[in-house]
Amino acid sequence: MALIRNPFDHDLPSADSPQVHVHLDGKWVDVPLGLNVIEVARRFGKLIPHYCYHPKLSIAGNCRMCLFEMGTPKLGPDRKPVLDGEGRPELQWVPRPQIACATTAFEGLGIRTASPLVESCQKGVMEFLLANHPLDCPICDQAGECKLQEYAFDYGKGRSQFGEEKVRKPKRVDIGPRILLDDERCILCTRCIRFAREIADDDCLGITERGGYNRLSIHPDQRFTSNYSLNTADICPVGALTTKDFRFRMRAWFLKETQSICVDCATGCNVTIGSREGFVYRLTPRVNEAVNSHWMCDQGRLGFHPIHSKHRVLEPARRVETGLFPGEWPLVLGQVAESLRKLEPSSLALLVSARLTNEELFLVQRLRESLRGESEIFTEVVPRKGQADGLLRSDDLNPNSKGARILGIGADGEKLPELRKRIEEGKVRALFCLHEDAIGAGVPEEMLERLSLLVWQGILEDKSCERAHWVLPGASFAEKSGSMVNRAGQVQRLHRAIPTPGRAKEDVWILRGLILALGGEDVGQSVPDIFSKMVATTPAFHGFTWSGLGDQGVPLPAQAG
């Protein structure tokens, strides 16, 4: 599912593009016709440095860092290419360097990425870019990820011929609710301007003034309020645009990076979790052309903060007259299992979240089988609806609705009115809330008071937790591994980035413990083991393997979607 509003795919030629022969640094190689020269070099492990070029934005060609030496086939009197002894065209080299971002592959194109002319041009461009750039790397958030730093080391002269005082430009300009601009760091690559216009559809940025006084500005009557504004901080090659949320909080090189997915809606954008010492500091988008390309929305990017909330539940407990009394996990699980075993199955209801992984939902399925006997146990998922934006944001705010539907747990909340009716009539006397608030799902508080047993499993205190007889603290998305199915049917993996806080446990550990305490079958200790068991018993997942999901996920068969 590609981005429907993005006409620029400089790195992805069409499947029917014919192959052409290109001479790259002394070797003839085959590449698709029309492939951008920067991408041609990248395919063969060569870097053409660049600032303004981005594979998903229009070509600006203004940084001049991607200059290369270009050759074209030499033509004879008959206007046909002159061939050498091997049947290859002889090349004539253009005396003036060309910009790689605005040049595409054609038959007989010659590319030199590291000739003396190219190296001289790169050093000159770097000297101009650094002429007015402040030397504030020690306090810049982009340090460690800055292309100006990296290219200055790799391609710069190491000295400057400029003796003039640097041009001073505005600092800490508040251009939007989530982003700040340090204009003196800007190298005028215009990536942010093109992103705002072409992807975010919020054309509010531009260049003002002239010459060395050029600067990035926002329209005086506007703010950069787009729900995709923070992507500009990702694509900014220097530290001109920084996020208010991450600014001055952590050095990039201290962060442990874990590949995962966003769980804020059903799109399932691929992300990298940046964490240190058990604390998540940021989420950044990870490239996956089948899901989110290079982008993600601000809402999903900032959705990790609740996992460090002061309202986080940190230890298992049972309710006594004076409140919640902490207990040890083996004892608590045994007592909860005993309480569930004593119930008539038809009097129990499971209120399940579609924010759980496939493996957790599979264990819920097995828990239900361990309890139900000859009666069916009422099970339903709580739906979450939002506003789709036509780009990445889905109107389904549950990240795994499709997985819940495939595993027979539910997805649409159609039976929630029936649950309220059953509690009111006294048919349901016990409720197990798995990462859901029954009151938030529409069950009145007075109805919860009628229950003989209320078990709550989750991460943040809510009204159901306040009334629960048993509290089982679970894990957030950053504290667990597993898989989910996004709205397009892509099965993708989460990976554990940080440990659970306090005495909270991963949900697969809790559910497995309950199943074993009830005398059920052990489906495996690890997530890959549980995934294998789930695949073996769920037709929609047949043929899948945990390792086969890879970093980009695998689409479900069309009939399973």
Side-chain angles (χ1 to χ4, degrees), residues 183-379:
D183 230 328
E184 61 183 14
R185 297 174 184 164
C186 179
I187 60 171
L188 305 172
C189 71
T190 70
R191 280 185 175 187
C192 55
I193 297 172
R194 286 174 283 146
F195 174 85
R197 178 187 305 133
E198 298 162 3
I199 307 297
D201 198 21
D202 188 6
D203 191 7
C204 61
L205 300 175
I207 300 295
T208 61
E209 311 302 335
R210 291 180 178 273
Y213 295 93
N214 271 161
R215 63 186 181 92
L216 175 67
S217 301
I218 189 164
H219 191 281
D221 296 328
Q222 287 184 262
R223 299 258 290 161
F224 195 14
T225 58
S226 167
N227 193 31
Y228 293 85
S229 65
L230 297 182
N231 289 282
T232 57
D234 298 328
I235 62 177
C236 180
V238 293
L241 290 168
T242 54
T243 69
K244 294 179 180 179
D245 188 64
F246 185 68
R247 187 177 171 92
F248 300 142
R249 296 193 67 209
M250 183 56 60
R251 284 301 196 184
W253 56 80
F254 288 137
L255 295 176
K256 180 185 75 171
E257 295 189 337
T258 306
Q259 294 186 345
S260 190
I261 59 175
C262 174
V263 297
D264 212 54
C265 79
T267 300
C269 293
N270 286 215
V271 302
T272 298
I273 301 174
S275 63
R276 187 186 185 200
E277 296 178 350
F279 196 92
V280 174
Y281 284 91
R282 69 176 182 182
L283 300 184
T284 51
R286 181 166 53 88
V287 180
N288 188 333
E289 296 295 350
V291 180
N292 59 301
S293 190
H294 292 239
W295 323 116
M296 71 181 296
C297 73
D298 295 358
Q299 203 167 340
R301 187 190 298 257
L302 301 176
F304 66 89
H305 286 292
I307 69 179
H308 301 301
S309 168
K310 63 181 180 179
H311 300 295
R312 186 74 189 263
V313 180
L314 300 176
E315 54 187 359
R318 64 184 175 90
R319 187 165 300 282
V320 295
E321 291 183 2
T322 55
L324 287 173
F325 185 78
E328 296 300 320
W329 271 110
L331 181 63
V332 168
L333 290 179
Q335 292 175 335
V336 171
E338 184 61 29
S339 299
L340 292 172
R341 186 185 290 114
K342 292 177 179 178
L343 293 170
E344 173 64 33
S346 61
S347 69
L348 172 63
L350 304 179
L351 196 61
V352 186
S353 174
R355 291 174 294 181
L356 296 180
T357 65
N358 293 322
E359 294 74 20
E360 292 161 353
L361 293 171
F362 178 68
L363 290 179
V364 170
Q365 189 186 77
R366 287 304 179 94
L367 177 66
R368 184 174 61 185
E369 291 173 1
S370 300
L371 286 168
R372 71 183 180 188
E374 297 181 359
S375 303
E376 193 66 37
I377 294 176
F378 181 94
T379 309

Side-chain angles (χ1 to χ4, degrees), residues 280-534:
V280 174
Y281 284 91
R282 69 176 182 182
L283 300 184
T284 51
R286 181 166 53 88
V287 180
N288 188 333
E289 296 295 350
V291 180
N292 59 301
S293 190
H294 292 239
W295 323 116
M296 71 181 296
C297 73
D298 295 358
Q299 203 167 340
R301 187 190 298 257
L302 301 176
F304 66 89
H305 286 292
I307 69 179
H308 301 301
S309 168
K310 63 181 180 179
H311 300 295
R312 186 74 189 263
V313 180
L314 300 176
E315 54 187 359
R318 64 184 175 90
R319 187 165 300 282
V320 295
E321 291 183 2
T322 55
L324 287 173
F325 185 78
E328 296 300 320
W329 271 110
L331 181 63
V332 168
L333 290 179
Q335 292 175 335
V336 171
E338 184 61 29
S339 299
L340 292 172
R341 186 185 290 114
K342 292 177 179 178
L343 293 170
E344 173 64 33
S346 61
S347 69
L348 172 63
L350 304 179
L351 196 61
V352 186
S353 174
R355 291 174 294 181
L356 296 180
T357 65
N358 293 322
E359 294 74 20
E360 292 161 353
L361 293 171
F362 178 68
L363 290 179
V364 170
Q365 189 186 77
R366 287 304 179 94
L367 177 66
R368 184 174 61 185
E369 291 173 1
S370 300
L371 286 168
R372 71 183 180 188
E374 297 181 359
S375 303
E376 193 66 37
I377 294 176
F378 181 94
T379 309
E380 184 55 292
V381 163
V382 179
R384 284 181 174 75
K385 296 300 178 183
Q387 184 78 33
D389 62 9
L391 190 57
L392 289 175
R393 191 74 181 169
S394 170
D395 59 354
D396 182 0
L397 303 185
N398 279 327
N400 201 22
S401 295
K402 189 156 286 197
R405 193 176 294 113
I406 288 170
L407 290 163
I409 303 298
D412 302 319
E414 295 175 352
K415 296 192 294 184
L416 289 178
E418 182 185 344
L419 172 61
R420 292 192 290 271
K421 183 178 179 182
R422 287 193 183 193
I423 295 175
E424 190 174 14
E425 294 174 351
K427 294 178 180 178
V428 167
R429 299 290 301 156
L431 183 62
F432 192 163
C433 298
L434 290 118
H435 286 260
E436 288 295 356
D437 178 15
I439 295 173
V443 179
E445 292 184 42
E446 61 272 14
M447 286 191 184
L448 291 186
E449 301 295 339
R450 303 180 187 179
L451 298 175
S452 60
L453 178 64
L454 176 58
V455 181
W456 180 92
Q457 181 175 326
I459 63 171
L460 297 177
E461 293 179 12
D462 56 33
K463 292 183 178 180
S464 294
C465 178
E466 293 171 0
R467 290 160 177 75
H469 302 109
W470 297 96
V471 171
L472 308 176
S476 72
F477 78 98
E479 299 154 3
K480 65 174 73 173
S481 296
S483 65
M484 292 184 176
V485 187
N486 76 351
R487 64 181 180 180
Q490 193 87 350
V491 185
Q492 305 182 106
R493 296 190 304 190
L494 302 89
H495 290 288
R496 188 185 191 197
I498 59 174
T500 49
R503 291 199 293 143
K505 292 287 187 181
E506 293 182 63
D507 295 283
V508 290
W509 187 92
I510 299 171
L511 292 167
R512 176 177 175 267
L514 285 174
I515 291 168
L516 293 177
L518 288 165
E521 176 193 358
D522 188 359
V523 294
Q525 296 187 32
S526 68
V527 168
D529 290 342
I530 298 169
F531 182 84
S532 298
K533 183 72 74 170
M534 178 184 69

